[in-house]
Amino acid sequence: MRNLQMLGLAFVALLMLAVVGCGDDENTTAPAQTFPLGYTQGNIYVSPNTRMPRLEIHGNGAVTPNLDSIKVGDSLVNRQDWSMYSDGMFSDAYWAIPFVEDGDTSTLMYDPGDTAVIKVWGEGRFSSCRVKLLNPEEAILNITSPLSMADTIAFGGSDTVYWNKVDQADYYAVMVPWAHYSGNWLFGFYYATDTSFIITGNMMPDSVWRCDVVVSPFNGPDPRTDRSNWTGNLLDGVVYSSGGYRYVSIIINAPAPLTPIPRISADQPIWNADEIVANVYKKYGK
């Protein structure tokens, strides 16, 4: 009798396993998500202490990831300094997290050329980022040719801008603002891996009379690759370190538009190295 009872229990167990195994997809357990929950953009540098003016952390989708803690090197970022921004819809919300290292110069974490490490925890996940640091007050290039306003090129023509190599910098962000006859500025963003950049005719918008070539050294992910220097399963995106910028102006010998365009303003904008690098990454990916 006992053997029959054991046989009956075994049969019931096998039947239950068969039912579970034959269920439809709605009854199966979905695999754990391993793709990053958020993406970043930020600039970190030394001057002489480590400074990260604004690390933005956005959601990969409509939901901003919950964060537990952040460290830069061996320093925990004060949570009271974190801010949440939104353009009016919660799906636009993102974290903006600054960091400024305190302490005297004898205890500073990094020097120019050192690799900073940023660590972030949240949602039961972890990611870290590595980037070689620049000092924007020291990592400043000089444009060696041409002199500003010395070159005039025809519309559709070309010109080459040269500068010196900046120690500890791996790449150069290049912004080309074009002065339109209306007084507005039109922008193109590029990058260079050596110390020269060629303006070509296919870059030129119509009805422009001048361009500036603004060059800023930077470190970070190679713009030619998948453009992320994060590892782990919480975050991807880009954190870079930018130096100071220099620019040169070139005259464009282009015909004025047949219909006069009202001139709005001829003021020279103030270029920003951080924005130049950020827009290079926006053009070539996240």
Side-chain angles (χ1 to χ4, degrees), residues 111-114 132-135 138-139 165-171 218-219:
D111 292 316
D114 289 346
K132 186 171 66 172
L133 296 175
L134 296 175
N135 184 332
E138 299 174 355
K165 177 175 173 49
V166 176
D167 291 339
Q168 300 167 344
D170 294 331
Y171 311 104
F218 74 99
N219 290 328

Side-chain angles (χ1 to χ4, degrees), residues 33-38 40 57 65-73 75-76 116-130 228-236:
Q33 295 179 347
T34 57
F35 57 83
L37 299 180
T40 67
I57 300 180
N66 294 299
L67 305 179
D68 296 329
S69 58
I70 299 173
K71 290 183 73 173
V72 177
S75 298
L76 186 67
V117 180
I118 305 169
K119 299 178 180 179
V120 184
W121 292 263
E123 304 272 8
R125 302 187 184 204
F126 168 76
S127 283
S128 64
C129 173
R130 301 172 65 87
S228 181
N229 50 351
W230 287 88
T231 59
N233 60 358
L234 176 61
L235 301 172
D236 59 12

Side-chain angles (χ1 to χ4, degrees), residues 49 100-108:
N49 53 338
V100 178
E101 181 184 11
D102 57 13
D104 60 62
T105 56
S106 65
T107 61
L108 296 182

